Amino acid sequence: MSDGFEDQVDDDTMVEDDAVADDSAMYDLDGDGVADDVMVVGDETYIDVDGDGVADAVLTADDQLFVDTDGDGVLDSEFIDANGDGIVDEIHTDTDGDGQVDQIVADTNYDGFIDTVAVDSDGDGTIDSFSLDTDYDGQVDTQIIDEDGDGIADVTLTDTDGDGNLETVTYGDDNDNRQDTGFGTNVNPS
């Protein structure tokens, strides 16, 4: 009689059940229903999602997940569980492959929904645009743009009535140290 940890092959030979012997965690990062190949080296877990023998993701000892999102063999995104609850709260991505984070997507209030997107659109290493869902309704209601890369907001667009359209524009481009405000309908910056 088997105790659940071994499979009987014949009367004289017993082999260990591979599923029970494998103590590594099961991963299916692409959600295809097939377990990804895993190799543990020291405190890091290397995950091969597509079975080509090249790691597509690395889980570090402190539970940070780095992923190759574009399949070029370079880990370009970091998935962060900021509050340790097992749910990804931030994704930092190097979209242009220069080794610097160009985009941060975050759930700042830990409700499971993205509410902040920060982008370095010109690749200079400084975030120059923020899109925020400040009332957590699933729609961007504030966009902040630093056009000249000096770390100071040059344009702020706001959805003041909650209809999903950015109507109020606050800007300070005339060097008088004052913010100027304009109103419009369906303001959508490019």
Side-chain angles (χ1 to χ4, degrees):
M1 177 179 265
S2 177
D3 62 3
F5 294 107
E6 299 173 327
D7 293 328
Q8 187 168 354
V9 176
D10 60 34
D11 290 292
D12 300 316
T13 308
M14 303 291 276
V15 295
E16 206 169 311
D17 186 351
D18 289 339
V20 175
D22 184 11
D23 60 355
S24 64
M26 297 288 290
Y27 294 94
D28 182 15
L29 296 183
D30 58 0
D32 65 357
V34 177
D36 302 328
D37 294 332
V38 175
M39 182 172 72
V40 178
V41 178
D43 291 337
E44 295 184 336
T45 302
Y46 293 83
I47 305 165
D48 177 11
V49 176
D50 55 13
D52 65 355
V54 178
D56 303 298
V58 176
L59 181 66
T60 65
D62 58 353
D63 290 328
Q64 299 304 309
L65 182 65
F66 294 87
V67 179
D68 174 13
T69 57
D70 57 9
D72 67 354
V74 177
L75 300 174
D76 52 32
S77 294
E78 178 182 12
F79 290 68
I80 301 169
D81 175 13
N83 62 354
D85 65 355
I87 298 172
V88 172
D89 304 307
E90 293 182 25
I91 303 171
H92 297 192
T93 306
D94 174 13
T95 59
D96 58 9
D98 66 354
Q100 294 189 40
V101 172
D102 310 298
Q103 180 173 318
I104 299 170
V105 178
D107 172 16
T108 60
N109 66 342
Y110 308 119
D111 67 352
F113 298 98
I114 298 301
D115 52 52
T116 303
V117 177
V119 178
D120 173 14
S121 58
D122 57 9
D124 67 353
T126 302
I127 297 295
D128 46 41
S129 173
F130 291 90
S131 298
L132 310 169
D133 175 12
T134 59
D135 58 4
Y136 309 113
D137 67 352
Q139 295 194 27
V140 171
D141 48 46
T142 303
Q143 186 168 19
I144 302 168
I145 302 170
D146 175 13
E147 293 177 330
D148 56 10
D150 65 356
I152 299 171
D154 298 309
V155 180
T156 303
L157 304 153
T158 309
D159 175 12
T160 55
D161 59 10
D163 67 354
N165 296 313
L166 301 171
E167 296 100 11
T168 304
V169 181
T170 304
Y171 55 94
D173 59 357
D174 54 10
N175 296 320
D176 63 0
N177 293 323
R178 294 181 2 184
Q179 294 293 311
D180 304 306
T181 302
F183 296 92
T185 57
N186 299 327
V187 177
N188 291 309
S190 55

